[in-house]
């Protein structure tokens, strides 16, 4: 049990929570791998165009400088990649876990080279925002099922170096102030094939500064009386006043003027899976029920803190409050999420209810439950398959020889067991990170708290 705890703690020390980062960025038909978070000791990848965030966790303070380029306010990287005006850019997350909230792309024009660009002083403008789909689910839901996030760069935008700021906003706990989760990633690009369009000052914002914690798209209960979403920040800049250069492969979709129209979708609140119990006291920590988690839970242990946070839809105890007026819907027009992402070294998960894909496990150790296997040695019990039970003593000991033989066998079996345990102690098989992540998720779901750190 001790070892198990140590393993869980080790997993958590490096993976604060199982949030993804941008694993692959795609532009102009080329793919670029992104670095993992600083805290995880992965390769630095200085040639990547993606600035390296400090950790997987969210930014929750909208006044933090981290709102510009993500956790840890990552500094510049060396790579700058060409992106054509009017083209699509794509963001493939390493496994993504949240399903509620918008996906937004901002751009900020650098005064000089993008590898020297200071994000907190940029004038950012919004170029793409994807929220609810016509079926009432969120585009982020597709991302959690493996789809890429896709955004379109305005045609006609003036050329130069820019930072792309990709923002994933998770709203599953956003009914409580300060619990909306921002995941932000900056990519250094050089925009080519552009025109002369540039946003007006009124269309630009600063990060931090663009949002407040009370914005209706940030402090929002998406479970109760919810039927449309009010995007925080400025309107989408479409770049229509510029003359666009030769449009590359996918012609830019016609973008309607940002005339806000009321959300026509009267469908029920877009919660993926209603949680049955109406619990009036939302706990900040645990993840919402609908997050898919394939890990088999072998035996239901009593959870120490029995307060799940998810309010039931149309909740029993929840006062719905005054119904919000219909909010302007996304002016950016129809939204594409690529159903067939460009093949990248990321296993493409199957859609929604299917369990998350498990990468091929290379260690012989079987995936095992959080409960310790029934071994009394007190040694490391974690990764070792132990299937040899001690032979039972003979029912009666009339014959001494038989009894002796049984004793020998028992001693032998015990020695073999001890050897296995010792071997496991000496060389514990390293767990693939994915398994650790699943284990952390399982722990969090079961105990409603983050696993302990060491
Ligand atoms: Cu989260």
């Amino acid at each position: 049990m001790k070892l198990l705890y140590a393993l869980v703690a080790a997993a958590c020390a490096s993976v604060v929570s199982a949030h993804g980062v941008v694993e692959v960025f795609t532009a102009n038909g080329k793919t670029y791998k992104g670095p993992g978070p600083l805290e995880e000791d992965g390769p630095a990848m200085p040639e990547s165009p993606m600035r390296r965030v400090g950790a997987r966790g969210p930014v929750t303070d909208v006044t933090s400088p981290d709102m510009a380029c993500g956790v840890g306010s990552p500094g510049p990287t060396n790579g700058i990649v060409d992106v054509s005006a009017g083209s699509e850019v794509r963001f493939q997350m390493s496994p993504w876990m949240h399903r509620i909230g918008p996906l937004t792309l901002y751009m900020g024009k650098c005064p000089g080279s993008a590898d020297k660009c200071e994000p907190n002083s940029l004038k950012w403008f919004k170029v793409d925002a994807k929220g609810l789909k016509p079926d009432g689910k969120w585009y982020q839901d597709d991302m959690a099922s493996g789809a890429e996030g896709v955004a379109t760069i305005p045609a006609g935008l003036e050329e130069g170096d820019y930072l792309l700021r990709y923002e994933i906003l998770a709203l599953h706990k956003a009914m409580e102030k300060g619990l909306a989760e921002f995941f932000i990633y900056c990519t250094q690009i050089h925009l080519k094939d552009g025109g002369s369009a540039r946003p007006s000052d009124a269309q630009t914002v600063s990060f931090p500064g663009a949002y407040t914690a009370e914005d209706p798209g940030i402090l929002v209960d998406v479970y109760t009386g919810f039927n449309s979403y009010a995007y925080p920040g400025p309107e989408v800049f479409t770049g229509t006043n510029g003359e666009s250069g030769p449009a590359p492969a996918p012609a830019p979709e016609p973008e309607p003027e940002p005339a806000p129209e009321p959300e026509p979708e009267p469908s029920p609140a877009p919660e993926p899976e209603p949680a049955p119990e109406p619990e009036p006291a939302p706990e900040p920590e645990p993840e919402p029920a609908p997050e898919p988690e394939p890990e088999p839970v072998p035996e239901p242990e009593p959870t120490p803190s029995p307060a799940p946070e998810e309010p039931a839809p149309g909740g029993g105890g929840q006062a719905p409050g005054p119904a919000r007026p219909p909010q302007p819907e996304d002016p950016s027009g129809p939204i594409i999420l690529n159903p067939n992402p460009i093949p990248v070294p990321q296993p493409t998960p199957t859609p929604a209810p299917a369990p998350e894909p498990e990468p091929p496990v290379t260690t012989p150790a079987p995936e095992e439950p959080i409960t310790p296997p029934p071994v009394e040695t007190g040694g490391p019990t974690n990764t070792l398959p132990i299937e040899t039970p001690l032979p039972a003593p003979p029912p009666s000991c009339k014959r001494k020889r038989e009894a002796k033989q049984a004793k020998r066998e028992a001693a032998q079996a015990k020695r073999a067991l001890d050897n296995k345990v010792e071997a496991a102690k000496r060389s514990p098989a390293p767990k693939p990170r994915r398994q650790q992540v699943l284990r952390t998720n399982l722990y969090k779901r079961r105990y409603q708290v983050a696993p302990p750190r060491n």
Side-chain angles (χ1 to χ4, degrees):
M1 195 58 183
K2 253 187 236 161
L3 177 72
L4 188 70
Y5 251 80
L7 277 181
V8 169
C12 299
S14 57
V15 186
V16 166
S17 46
H19 298 107
V21 294
V22 179
E23 192 157 65
V24 178
F25 170 72
T26 304
N28 283 28
K30 292 184 181 166
T31 58
Y32 306 90
K33 257 188 110 34
L38 261 178
E39 67 171 6
E40 284 174 27
D41 274 350
M45 305 178 73
E47 301 311 315
S48 172
M50 273 165 283
R51 296 190 173 188
R52 189 182 194 190
V53 294
R56 291 176 183 268
V59 180
T60 53
D61 176 3
V62 296
T63 68
S64 164
D66 290 2
M67 283 297 288
C69 278
V71 172
S73 292
T77 179
N78 294 337
I80 302 174
V81 300
D82 283 347
V83 176
S84 293
S87 71
E88 281 181 354
V89 292
R90 298 168 178 275
F91 300 87
Q92 176 72 58
M93 307 306 292
S94 56
W96 191 247
M97 63 185 295
H98 293 309
R99 296 178 177 272
I100 297 172
L103 313 171
T104 309
L105 184 69
Y106 284 84
M107 295 177 72
K109 190 160 193 296
C110 301
S113 179
D115 60 2
K116 298 185 174 54
C117 208
E118 209 290 293
N120 291 119
S121 60
L122 289 193
K123 290 179 166 181
W124 295 96
F125 53 99
K126 187 189 287 181
V127 298
D128 201 293
K130 292 175 170 53
L132 289 165
K133 299 190 293 180
D135 67 1
K137 291 191 171 182
W138 297 82
Y139 285 92
Q140 189 174 157
D141 193 37
D142 294 342
M143 182 177 272
S145 300
E148 292 171 291
V150 180
T152 302
I153 307 296
L157 189 62
E158 71 176 347
E159 304 195 1
D161 279 15
Y162 289 81
L163 292 186
L164 297 185
R165 177 186 177 278
Y166 195 51
E167 174 190 292
I168 305 171
L169 173 53
L171 295 173
H172 54 288
K173 295 183 279 192
M175 73 289 281
E176 212 173 308
K177 188 175 160 186
L179 293 188
E181 299 184 350
F182 292 89
F183 301 88
I184 300 157
Y185 310 95
C186 283
T187 306
Q188 300 173 174
I189 70 158
H190 175 75
L191 188 84
K192 60 176 195 175
D193 306 327
S196 59
R198 64 171 68 174
S200 69
D201 279 353
Q203 289 168 310
T204 66
V205 293
S206 298
F207 286 106
Y211 301 161
T212 74
E214 294 88 5
D215 282 354
I218 294 176
L219 178 59
V220 55
D221 181 349
V222 294
Y223 305 107
T224 309
F226 176 84
N227 53 25
S228 70
Y229 181 66
Y231 293 87
E235 290 179 351
V236 169
F237 171 69
T238 60
T240 47
N241 61 332
E243 75 268 8
S244 95
E253 33 173 336
E255 303 216 42
E257 275 307 307
E261 45 178 299
E263 164 71 44
E265 185 66 355
S267 78
E271 190 183 4
E273 255 177 58
E277 57 275 274
E279 202 56 52
E283 275 275 298
E285 244 325 296
E287 294 300 336
E291 305 292 352
E293 203 46 65
E295 196 134 344
V297 180
E299 44 178 279
E301 292 182 13
T303 44
S305 92
E309 45 127 12
E310 202 82 333
Q318 295 265 23
R324 286 189 191 88
Q327 305 290 355
E329 182 43 278
D330 175 16
S332 69
I335 295 158
I336 315 157
L337 272 166
N338 183 14
N340 293 317
I342 294 177
V344 291
Q346 159 88 7
T348 317
T350 48
E356 274 181 65
E358 182 78 34
V361 177
T362 49
T363 88
E367 182 68 357
E368 53 120 50
I370 283 218
T371 47
V375 175
E376 309 275 88
T377 64
T381 62
N382 194 15
T383 58
L384 191 63
I386 296 171
E387 62 283 90
T388 338
L390 300 185
S396 74
C397 297
K398 283 179 202 162
R399 306 175 63 171
K400 277 188 179 176
R401 198 182 298 161
E402 226 179 76
K404 265 189 183 168
Q405 170 71 11
K407 261 188 183 172
R408 263 201 305 277
E409 276 172 17
Q412 241 167 30
K414 184 165 190 313
R415 259 201 310 280
L417 194 70
D418 287 347
N419 286 344
K420 275 187 181 179
V421 170
E422 279 306 311
K425 257 187 206 164
R426 280 193 299 274
S427 61
K431 287 241 159 202
R433 192 167 55 80
R434 179 70 188 135
Q435 278 181 281
Q436 293 182 344
V437 166
L438 287 173
R439 188 177 297 279
T440 304
N441 280 355
L442 179 62
Y443 185 101
K444 281 175 73 173
R445 211 185 43 214
R446 180 174 299 168
Y447 299 112
Q448 308 287 309
V449 294
R453 286 161 162 274
N454 261 358

